[in-house]
Amino acid sequence: MIGSSENGEYDDISFKADLTLDRLQPRLAEVWQQQGIDAAKLRTFDARLRTHWHPLFQLLYRLYGTRYDFFYHIEQVLLTAAKAFANRPDELSALDRHRTNEPDWFQSEKIVGGALYVDLFAENLSKAGQHVQYFKRLGLTYLHLMPLFAVRPGNNDGGYAISNYRSVDPRLGTIDDLRQLANDLRHAGISLVLDFVFNHTADDHEWAQRAQAGDRAYQEFYYIFPDRRLPEQYERTLREIFPTVRRGNFTWHDGMESWVWTTFNSFQWDLNYSNPAVFRAMLEEMYFLANMGVDILRVDAVAFIWKRMGTSCENLPEAHWLIQAYNHLARIATPGLLFKSEAIVHPDEVVKYISEEECQISYNPTLMALLWESLATRRTDLLVQTLGHRYKLPENTSWVNYLRCHDDIGWTFDDQDAAEIGIRAFDHRQFLNDFYTGQFPGSFARGIPFQENHQTGDMRISGTMASLAGLEQAVEEDDEQKKDLAIRRMMLLHGITLSIGGIPLLYLGEEWGMLNDYDFALDPAKAGDSRWIHRPKMQWEYLDELDDHIASGNGSIRSRIFKSTQRLIELRKSLPAFAGQSMGLVSTSNPHILGYLRTHDGHRMVVLANFSEQPQQIGGNKLRTAGLGRFFKDVIQEKTYLTSEPVLLEPYQILWLDRV
Ligand code: GLC
Ligand code: GLC
């Protein structure tokens, strides 16, 4: 346990921590003098250091304590933190104070997120900045801009192959444009989320270039092997993330005549965090982003950042220590900054990244996958079985609930959860893949395979929300009834992520029911990666269409989707019961209906969601125990119900029930 003194080790390390800090005081004093820091600010820094120095020291000691140069590195780490603190713009320091006093600020019912690609949405950063009104109109208060930094030429994995963390891709603008946008968003009450792509750099990042030029210090930034001996030993226990791109996890480099560890694409070189110089180098990048005005860092590919022979090299304890160390450093210098975990792994592992000391918020891949699972099966058993023991999170942390994102859907539920209700996981995943690629008889979905691995039978799914929910098929067949069902499915899913507890996150395009974009296959840099099918370009003419229909009163499908989504968002923001994270399942005795109770600060709401295209009902008395009283009303349709009568749900209907 960090910070406990149960063992002698603590006292020894504690002593070393104090000694190091004492020794560093004159160096710190230099920083304060150079930067002209006043006494009040110094007290703030000291107070934070008092809280975080010991646990930070202990983590770094565990990671790097056996190195001869450990004390040098830790001193540099602290000086870096001091400089970042000194350089923090006043406006951000004010935000730090505010958020430290209100550590659950992101759990408000008023928070709603959106994610987008700057180029696909608005061409570039300055044009994106002109759309703040659009974000507000939709009700967004949190905006994730997909990676927008300088990237390697050619394929760059949608921005995730970064060649410089401090300059923006010139096609999108400049670092000043980004700073400007961060300011504009902040003033509009919208938090900015950017990626912290710290597992790997592009092969043309300066560090990688120096490594290629033979610089030993930079070769140690990566995992580089002269022959296949070690790679082959590692390979025995590794899985493959992009098996259709390249088999194995290592890439031969001609110039260096060596093998490089590349978990993702061959041009994304994994960083070697067993080298403290790498930890420090990325710390500088983290502070740079924080001080530019980023509110939340999406900690990319977090599961992969530590490797150990004989393991899967995913989710190792050291990966957690590294994030915790970065977290303490953020608390010291830039405490307004939050971490969002992107661990798309087994649900047991996902939660381990979530705590106030590590990542305060996290994608909820299990809920995402299971909502699609329930749509396919029309049953909620696996969802209920899973939510029942996996939804709860520690205090002051939150799920980020999403339906689609720029990545694929993987069926990351737990096999044992499935077994307990008689589902064979392997077969079920095959069924889901068949269903979502439209192969299963009667399927409404139009997804396509991603990274099909014939050896393991593994496969993930690409496709937009609307195409997966049946809209593409319905439009093609020009079938009004199917269109209606598809839209109902989409609203059902939004209705859940907007109410179940946590930060709801829209992937922009969803608000218009954007369909798959098959043209990606024409671009050689994209053709090999089917995820591009669900990364369509924003069509601004839709907005005119929307305004036209407001005037004339008859809505197209797109306007209907936009307005329904917008309305649900607005409604969520008016319901304090939807704040926070506490969620209790309500037994509905109907396998097609999911039911849960949300309570917060004395407010309560019950949500009922019908996953079938048939009308369903539950006994009103099922809701008596949920404490709604004798009468209650659905705030979506504004209809009143009685506990003494059965509650009838239309196909795919979702009810947000409040007391009358
Ligand atoms: C993350 C991103 C994904 C990318 C990968 C490698 O998982 O979401 O798009 O391919 O990291 O950076
Ligand atoms: C795997 C990784 C995740 C990445 C995804 C890309 O699921 O765990 O980090 O985003 O692959 O497909």
Side-chain angles (χ1 to χ4, degrees), residues 12 16 76 81 127 182 407 550:
D12 182 37
K16 286 182 176 143
Q76 294 305 312
K127 288 192 183 153
D407 280 332
I550 287 174

Side-chain angles (χ1 to χ4, degrees), residues 155-169:
N155 187 350
N156 58 48
D157 190 22
Y160 284 96
I162 297 180
S163 39
N164 186 336
Y165 296 90
R166 301 202 184 195
S167 74
V168 164
D169 180 338

Side-chain angles (χ1 to χ4, degrees), residues 119 123-125 147-152 156 159 164 166-175 177:
D119 55 343
E123 218 174 309
N124 59 40
L125 283 168
L148 38 76
F149 294 99
V151 284
R152 70 192 295 281
N156 58 48
N164 186 336
R166 301 202 184 195
S167 74
V168 164
D169 180 338
R171 289 165 289 198
L172 302 178
T174 65
I175 203 78
D177 293 338

Side-chain angles (χ1 to χ4, degrees), residues 239 241-242 264 301 304 342 344-345 407-408 450 460 531:
R239 67 176 172 130
I241 304 301
F242 292 155
F264 295 90
F304 300 89
E342 191 248 348
I344 313 302
V345 288
D407 280 332
D408 45 286
F450 179 67
R460 282 113 80 187
R531 290 175 297 174

Side-chain angles (χ1 to χ4, degrees), residues 335-492:
L337 183 72
L338 294 188
F339 290 171
K340 169 165 78 163
S341 159
E342 191 248 348
I344 313 302
V345 288
H346 187 278
D348 288 346
E349 299 298 334
V350 173
V351 288
K352 293 186 187 156
Y353 294 93
I354 313 171
S355 69
E356 263 192 287
E357 291 73 38
E358 202 165 323
C359 294
Q360 298 88 348
I361 65 178
S362 164
Y363 280 105
N364 192 350
T366 315
L367 177 68
M368 183 277 288
L370 288 180
L371 288 174
W372 289 106
E373 188 270 346
S374 294
L375 264 196
T377 58
R378 281 77 164 171
R379 299 181 66 95
T380 61
D381 337 28
L382 188 53
L383 189 55
V384 166
Q385 165 71 19
T386 304
L387 289 177
H389 69 117
R390 294 188 186 274
Y391 204 73
K392 203 167 177 318
L393 289 182
E395 224 188 311
N396 294 333
T397 64
S398 173
W399 289 117
V400 175
N401 294 319
Y402 65 114
L403 298 162
R404 291 297 296 112
C405 69
H406 68 288
D407 280 332
D408 45 286
I409 302 179
W411 306 110
T412 62
F413 55 82
D414 173 50
D415 292 9
Q416 193 53 41
D417 282 339
E420 260 159 54
I421 52 168
I423 292 177
R424 282 211 303 266
F426 184 84
D427 300 346
H428 199 53
R429 289 195 178 93
Q430 267 188 333
F431 156 72
L432 291 168
N433 284 331
D434 281 351
F435 188 90
Y436 279 104
T437 51
Q439 305 300 307
F440 191 80
S443 166
F444 49 74
R446 281 288 170 84
I448 63 169
F450 179 67
Q451 300 301 329
E452 188 167 9
N453 186 334
H454 294 287
Q455 220 166 321
T456 59
D458 186 39
M459 177 175 131
R460 282 113 80 187
I461 298 291
S462 290
T464 67
M465 177 181 191
S467 289
L468 295 179
L471 192 61
E472 187 172 320
Q473 189 193 63
V475 168
E476 223 157 83
E477 295 175 9
D478 197 18
D479 182 324
E480 290 309 318
Q481 204 196 342
K482 284 189 175 176
K483 286 183 203 167
D484 181 61
L485 288 176
I487 297 176
R488 284 166 177 264
R489 288 185 197 105
M490 292 163 68
M491 291 310 137
L492 172 78

